[in-house]
Structure formats: structure tokens, C-alpha cells
């Protein structure tokens, strides 16, 4: 079933309407055990091997709150400048779905642990936009369904479905913004910058690795349009589980264009969930949205209320790390880079790796160059996150050191990195195994230079005659003969010396 969606151009949509957004981000906490039982949260185990009567919803099994989960939720709330509830409860959100054996999700409803905060995010041009936070609440993840036998992995066309409850009960924090107004044409950029900033914050707090590509952090993008000058919000659509920064931006942009087309043609937007498709950058209709009352929320009778003492909250506040935005501003000063370049490093998830490489001894320019160049390219090609590449910051620092000392030039350094990534060993081992060293032995260089001059008498004559630019061809010949292992600047000097020509 393919249907094309009518769109108006982005510019035309913005000429008539103001976008309003709401972002709901789910973060899987990195606790060792689940939110309400002692089952392990370790990824990659045999399906259904990490389950117990509690997370399978067996009769008589009783849940117990994971204290580390509550602590993480409070830390997130504090870092988002939220108030922390003195007393709050869990609630049952009732609905049936096969991936949820209890028939309800244990969540929080009208009593979230944290509420009324904000997060400042920085846009590409350096401007700061403040996103207001409605709430951050605790809940649990569902299991996973695997639909088998169809072409798409979706339930349509599948012959049967398999269920894995290992994920059921893993702690989640859901962070919900207030309606984001006033971003105008920059709404998609704000959405992306907000999720990027939140990811940095969560990582800095150490409560989750917040890997979007692994589903540890996912974002629902609510969006509506209203004509310029109108106060009342339009009807929103809710694009679910968007799982990369780039997709968050594209999903918002697409929905702006789609809503505008519907509204322009006199149609009405229906409140529904939608799915985002990476390949086309478009969204398609999901299900018509339930209202809160459909879930028949009620306070969870099997769990005691959570009442964090003010002393504990203050203790946790004292452990908060430097805000990532403040840290980036500090690093920008130290490294001498502009807001745009810092944003690129943020979006690439490269900042921690660069900092670690500098701590291991590299200068900041080299650390940035390798992580944002060669390594970013390699990560892109293999579809991996930078931190998953099989190279450590210390190893990158070692490569930078070999370049500084003149043992390697950039070209050789790239080959060393390639070798490390290919599992050939440490940088020094790759240098040895592949025989990669700048030829600095003057005797060997002179011989190669003599050979290049003898082999290219025409070019040599031109240079003698004053066409110094032609030296490039001879340098090229020497570099080729030494398999790129010569110091090109020194080679040029030697050639000009031999031909009796001064530079310039
Ligand atoms: P639900 O759980 O039904 O998705 P929530 O109120 O928890 O509802 O979340 C909705 C999100 O969308 C919030 O971030 C909210 O600020 C935002 N929102 C609410 N109404 C609108 C609207 N008309 N247009 C855009 N965003 C909206
Ligand atoms: Mg929602
Ligand atoms: Zn369990």
C-alpha cells in the first residue's frame, strides 16, 4: 500500500503557520536490575531468560521499587532544573498488548517525580533557546515482539509473532516538554538541538549511555500548526519512536509540510500517532490516539509511595556534573572553535572522545581532526557510533604523537588508524607490521630524488629554467617511489637544491 502525501514547501508553510511542538523522550536507565524486580537488564541474553514472576505479571508476585532508578530520576529532574516531588505514587496505565504481560504498564500519571523545569539548548548560530519541561516521570519498558514471516518485519503479512520479555520492566524515564512555541522556522532545529542536549546531559549524569541507535533513547515528536496571530493550538500529530537526531529534525520538518497541505486544502488534522520512515523521510499514519481516560489510570496499590527526603535531594544536587552546555562553552574557549564546529562535534557524539584523547596527551587540534575526520568517516561507513569503533582515545593520542614527532605524516597516520580499526594491533604494532615510517634517512631520500630527476629530464630542465611550480611532479614521483613515506617538504627542498634553484 503506497499513498503519496501532499506537501507544501517548507517556506510556504512557515509563511502562513507557526509550528508548536511537544517532545516526549524516553530514556532507558543503565541500572543493573529492572525497575520493580531483581532481573538483570543486560542486553543480548537468550530471549525470556531475564524474567521472573513479577515482570511476567504472575498472580501474587509483588513489585519492589529500584532505589537506583529513583535516584537516577531525581538526578535527571534536578539537572533539568525541575522541582522534585515530596511525595508521589506510581500509577497503572491499563491496556492490553502482547508485549506487556501484566496488562498494564506501571508508570506515573498525575504525580510525576519531577516537574516544572527547563533545558537551554544552543542552535547552530550560537543562539540559546530555552525549552520548558513539563515533567519527568518513572515508568517501565515493555517486552519486544518479533513478527516473523513477512517482508517488512511488521505485523502485517507476518505468519506468527515471537515475544521476548527480557526488556519488560527495564526502568524508563519519560521527559515531556511543555508546548514549544516561538521557534518558527527553526522548530525542527530546536527539536534536534533539544534531543542532542538532553543526550549529553543524561550521559554526563552517568544514568544511561543514551545510545539512540540502540533504542536506549527515543523521541516522540508532537507537532501542530496554527495560523500566525492565533493563540489556540491546532490539533497535533505524534510521530513515535524517532531514533536519531537527524530523524527528529526531518520528522518535524515533514509534519510541518504535511499539516500545512491538509490545512490549506480545508481539511482537518486528526490526532493520531504516526511512524517515521528513514528511507523516505516521510511519516505515515499509525493509530488514532487514545485519550488519557481510556487508560483508566489509578494509583498502583502494590507499591509504596516515593517520598524522597529533602536531605537526599540536596545530597544528589551536590553531585551534579557541570552542565554540558557550560562545559562546551568552556571547551570552545580552550580549543578556540566556533559554535558551529562545536555543534558538529556534539551531533557526531564526538566530544567525550576528543576530551579523552586530549587527556591522553594529544593537542586539541589533532584530537578534533582525527575524530571528526578519519574516524567519523569510518563510523559512518560501518554504521557505528564513534565510541564503538575499535580504537581507544589513548591510541588516537599515540598516532597524533607519532605525527608530531615526525615519525608519521598525515597520510601514513591514516593508514595506521585504518590498521588499528582493522584489528591489526596498537598504532606501534601497525607501524611495525606495515613498515610505515617517514623516510627521514637523507641517504635514502637523496637516492630517490636523484632517481626522480634522472627519470624526468624534461621536467628537471623546466625547473632549472625557472618554472619552479613544476617541482610538484618530481615531489610526486619521489613520494610514489617511497610509498608515501617521505616528508614532502624536505623532498621539495632537496630537489630544488639539486637543481640549483632557490625557492620563490
Ligand atoms: P500524550 O501522553 O497523550 O502524548 P502528553 O500531554 O503527555 O500527551 O504529551 C503531549 C506532548 O505534546 C507534550 O510535550 C505537550 O506539551 C505537547 N502538546 C500538547 N498539545 C499540543 C499541540 N496542540 N501541539 C503541539 N504539541 C502539543
Ligand atoms: Mg505521547
Ligand atoms: Zn523480573
Amino acid at each position: 500500500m503506497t499513498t503519496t502525501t501532499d506537501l507544501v514547501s517548507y517556506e510556504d508553510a512557515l509563511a502562513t503557520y507557526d509550528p508548536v511542538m511537544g517532545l516526549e523522550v524516553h530514556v532507558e536507565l543503565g541500572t543493573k536490575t529492572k525497575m520493580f524486580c531483581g532481573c538483570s537488564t543486560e542486553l543480548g541474553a537468550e530471549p525470556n531468560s531475564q524474567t521472573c514472576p513479577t515482570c511476567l505479571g504472575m498472580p501474587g508476585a509483588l513489585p519492589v521499587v529500584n532505589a537506583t532508578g529513583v535516584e537516577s530520576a531525581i538526578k535527571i529532574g534536578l539537572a533539568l532544573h525541575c522541582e522534585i516531588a515530596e511525595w508521589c505514587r506510581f500509577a497503572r496505565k491499563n491496556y492490553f498488548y502482547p508485549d506487556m504481560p501484566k496488562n498494564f504498564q506501571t508508570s506515573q500519571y498525575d504525580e510525576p517525580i519531577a516537574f516544572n523545569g527547563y533545558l537551554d539548548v544552543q542552535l547552530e548560530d550560537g543562539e540559546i533557546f530555552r525549552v520548558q519541561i513539563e515533567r519527568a516521570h518513572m515508568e517501565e519498558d515493555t517486552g519486544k515482539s518479533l513478527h516473523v514471516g513477512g517482508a517488512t518485519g511488521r505485523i502485517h503479512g507476518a505468519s506468527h509473532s515471537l515475544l521476548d520479555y527480557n526488556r519488560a520492566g527495564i526502568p524508563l524515564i519519560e521527559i515531556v516538554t511543555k508546548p514549544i512555541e516561538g521557534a518558527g522556522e527553526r522548530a525542527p532545529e530546536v527539536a534536534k538541538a533539544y534531543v542532542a542536549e538532553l543526550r549529553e546531559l543524561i550521559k554526563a549524569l552517568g544514568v544511561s549511555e543514551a545510545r539512540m541507535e540502540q533504542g536506549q533513547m527515543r523521541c516522540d515528536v508532537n507537532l501542530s500548526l496554527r495560523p500566525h496571530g492565533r493563540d489556540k493550538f491546532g490539533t497535533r500529530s505524534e510521530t513515535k519512536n524517532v531514533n536519531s537526531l537527524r530523524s527528529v529534525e526531518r520528522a518535524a520538518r515533514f509534519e510541518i509540510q504535511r499539516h500545512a497541505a491538509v490545512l490549506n486544502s480545508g481539511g482537518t488534522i486528526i490526532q493520531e500517532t504516526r511512524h517515521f520512515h528513514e528511507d523516505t523521510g516521510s511519516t505515515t499514519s499509525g493509530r488514532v490516539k487514545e485519550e488519557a481516560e481510556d487508560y483508566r489510570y489509578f494509583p498502583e496499590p502494590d507499591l509504596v509511595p516515593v517520598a524522597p527526603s529533602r536531605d537526599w535531594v540536596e545530597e544528589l544536587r551536590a553531585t551534579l556534573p557541570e552542565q554540558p552546555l557550560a562545559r562546551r562553552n568552556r571547551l570552545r574557549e580552550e580549543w578556540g572553535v566556533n559554535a558551529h564546529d562545536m555543534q558538529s562535534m556534539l551531533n557526531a557524539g564526538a566530544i567525550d572522545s576528543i576530551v579523552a584523547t586530549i587527556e591522553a596527551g594529544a593537542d586539541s587540534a589533532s584530537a578534533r581532526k582525527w575524530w571528526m575526520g578519519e574516524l567519523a568517516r569510518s563510523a559512518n561507513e560501518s554504521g557505528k557510533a564513534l565510541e564503538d569503533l575499535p580504537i581507544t582515545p589513548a591510541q588516537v593520542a599515540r598516532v597524533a604523537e607519532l605525527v608530531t614527532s615526525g615519525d608519521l605524516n598525515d597520510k601514513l597516520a591514516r593508514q595506521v588508524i585504518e590498521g588499528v580499526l582493522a584489528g591489526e594491533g596498537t598504532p606501534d604494532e601497525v607501524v611495525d607490521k606495515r613498515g610505515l615510517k617517514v623516510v627521514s634517512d637523507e641517504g635514502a631520500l637523496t637516492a630517490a630524488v636523484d632517481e626522480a630527476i634522472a627519470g624526468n629530464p624534461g621536467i628537471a630542465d623546466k625547473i632549472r629554467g625557472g618554472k619552479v611550480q613544476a617541482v610538484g611532479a618530481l615531489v610526486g614521483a619521489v613520494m610514489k617511489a617511497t610509498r608515501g613515506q617521505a616528508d614532502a617538504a624536505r623532498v621539495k627542498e632537496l630537489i630544488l637544491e639539486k637543481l640549483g634553484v632557490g625557492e620563490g
Side-chain angles (χ1 to χ4, degrees), residues 34 36-40 50-56 168:
K34 293 185 180 181
F36 303 111
C37 63
C39 290
S40 168
Q50 296 171 165
T51 56
C52 72
T54 300
C55 56
L56 289 178

Side-chain angles (χ1 to χ4, degrees), residues 20-38:
V20 175
M21 285 187 306
L23 301 169
E24 297 168 84
V25 173
H26 285 91
V27 178
E28 241 179 49
L29 294 179
T31 54
K32 290 210 162 51
T33 55
K34 293 185 180 181
M35 192 66 196
F36 303 111
C37 63

